[in-house]
Amino acid sequence: MTTMTRRGAMAGAAALAASTAVSPATAAAPPAGKQIAGVYRYKVGEFELTVVTDGVRVVPLADTFVRNAKKEDVGAAMQAVFMAPDKVVTPYNPIVINSGSKLTLVDPGLGSAVFAQSKGALGQLAGNLTAAGIDAKAIDSVIITHCHPDHINGLVGADGKPAYPNAEVFVPAIELKHWNDDGEMSRASEGLKGNFNNTRRVFKAMDNKFTPYDAGKEIVPGITTVATPGHTPGHMSLVVASGSSKLFVQADVTNVPYLFARNPGWHVMFDMDAATAEATRRKVYDMLVAEKMLMQGFHYPFPSLANIEKSGAGYREVPVLWNTSL
């Protein structure tokens, strides 16, 4: 039988006090200052998908960010979803599709060249691929949905060479024709001419080694292309199908959902043909609602996976709950 004595109790209390006295010093640690790797995995049928974030850009809300809405109305829409009314937060989220026989990357982001410029906020894809255990040399195919910088610049590494040296690179045939057309470039606005120059820079670095594709084609087993024009002339989306499961990869049918899914009639400044882009957006989102099809959005909040439902005159994204296992 153990007997507690006054002397023993005092000795124990002293020892406890001594141990707690040093714990704050030994537990002190500097803040991490950054997130852990931005990677999320889920399954579509037998396919394994990995969302690999390329980062997030935060910029002041421009007067013309939404061409056909007042700046104060746009700010109010952002406040309604608990965001700052004067800043636009835009995520960039490429995906890797593992079918078991093919490893396919969709839209390789902004590229590592912007990493240092953005202090690591952007251009994170290469590092996050490594963290996910995906070797760039193991990528069999890269699918480009359209030729805006945040979707093609990552084709080229910091060394100026192809970042995915063993991959077949698929680019919409209309996009290849449009951005290589000198006549189209001569007629473009000064702001848009920069996009022509950037696209041609990337094309040259890739030695123009692309496989052009059209809408309605299964270009990789289980991955079928869908024409979704307006954002750019040849903008494409994808349907990923395995067994009875389907996923719609929307690329830039909308920009950030908290503005353009909820207000499908709003025209983002990046849409080259705003009226066509709006018609495409409504058609796609009506289909997603009717078919209850899961949707992956490039500029949706990470991991950018959602279901879509009707909400008033627009739509509302319902984020998919994080799964801890596959």
Side-chain angles (χ1 to χ4, degrees):
M1 179 176 178
T2 301
T3 303
M4 176 65 73
T5 65
R6 181 173 179 274
R7 179 177 295 178
M10 291 179 66
L16 179 61
S19 66
T20 56
V22 299
S23 62
T26 57
K34 62 181 181 179
Q35 298 284 8
I36 59 173
V39 175
Y40 178 70
R41 285 193 169 100
Y42 65 98
K43 297 196 77 171
V44 174
E46 294 302 311
F47 290 5
E48 182 181 87
L49 278 79
T50 306
V51 187
V52 189
T53 185
D54 197 38
V56 175
R57 188 194 300 272
V58 182
V59 297
L61 174 63
D63 292 347
T64 58
F65 183 69
V66 181
R67 292 174 179 162
N68 60 340
K70 295 178 181 178
K71 186 177 181 180
E72 54 265 34
D73 291 338
V74 178
M78 293 195 290
Q79 276 189 307
V81 292
F82 306 98
M83 301 186 73
D86 58 347
K87 292 182 175 63
V88 179
V89 180
T90 306
Y92 302 84
N93 293 310
I95 60 171
V96 177
I97 304 165
N98 186 345
S99 69
S101 60
K102 293 285 185 182
L103 202 58
T104 301
L105 171 64
V106 180
D107 288 344
L110 287 152
S112 56
V114 305
F115 189 86
Q117 301 167 18
S118 67
K119 297 181 180 179
L122 297 167
Q124 297 181 9
L125 177 62
N128 282 328
L129 279 175
T130 299
I134 298 172
D135 185 348
K137 294 178 181 178
I139 300 290
D140 297 296
S141 51
V142 176
I143 300 175
I144 300 298
T145 61
H146 64 292
C147 291
H148 277 168
D150 53 327
H151 295 258
I152 65 169
N153 283 11
L155 283 171
V156 182
D159 58 0
K161 297 178 181 179
Y164 307 96
N166 300 316
E168 181 177 10
V169 181
F170 295 88
V171 180
I174 296 173
E175 292 283 292
L176 286 172
K177 181 177 184 298
H178 179 82
W179 299 107
N180 278 315
D181 190 317
D182 289 339
E184 292 287 358
M185 185 173 178
S186 69
R187 292 186 291 272
S189 66
E190 285 305 310
L192 199 53
K193 279 184 170 65
N195 203 86
F196 277 90
N197 289 328
N198 179 74
T199 301
R200 293 177 181 201
R201 174 190 67 81
V202 173
F203 285 179
K204 183 178 179 180
M206 295 295 296
D207 200 25
N208 285 290
K209 292 180 179 178
F210 302 113
T211 300
Y213 71 86
D214 298 313
K217 306 294 184 181
E218 187 179 43
I219 56 174
V220 174
I223 305 176
T224 301
T225 61
V226 180
T228 47
H231 183 62
T232 64
H235 183 277
M236 294 280 181
S237 297
L238 307 170
V239 172
V240 178
S242 173
S244 60
S245 298
K246 288 184 179 181
L247 170 78
F248 193 86
V249 181
Q250 73 142 35
D252 284 11
V253 172
T254 72
N255 192 265
V256 289
Y258 56 84
L259 293 181
F260 301 102
R262 299 180 184 220
N263 302 278
W266 283 3
H267 298 166
V268 71
M269 63 191 299
F270 309 117
D271 285 345
M272 293 175 63
D273 182 342
T276 299
E278 178 185 342
T280 293
R281 185 158 49 250
R282 293 183 184 278
K283 179 180 178 181
V284 166
Y285 274 59
D286 283 343
M287 179 275 293
L288 293 172
V289 171
E291 298 192 17
K292 293 181 169 55
M293 192 185 301
L294 196 60
M295 194 278 301
Q296 181 77 45
F298 192 82
H299 295 299
Y300 272 54
F302 183 83
S304 59
L305 182 64
N307 288 292
I308 304 299
E309 65 179 17
K310 284 290 291 181
S311 178
Y315 309 89
R316 186 172 74 93
E317 70 283 5
V318 182
V320 170
L321 294 177
W322 185 282
N323 257 330
T324 56
S325 59
L326 299 181

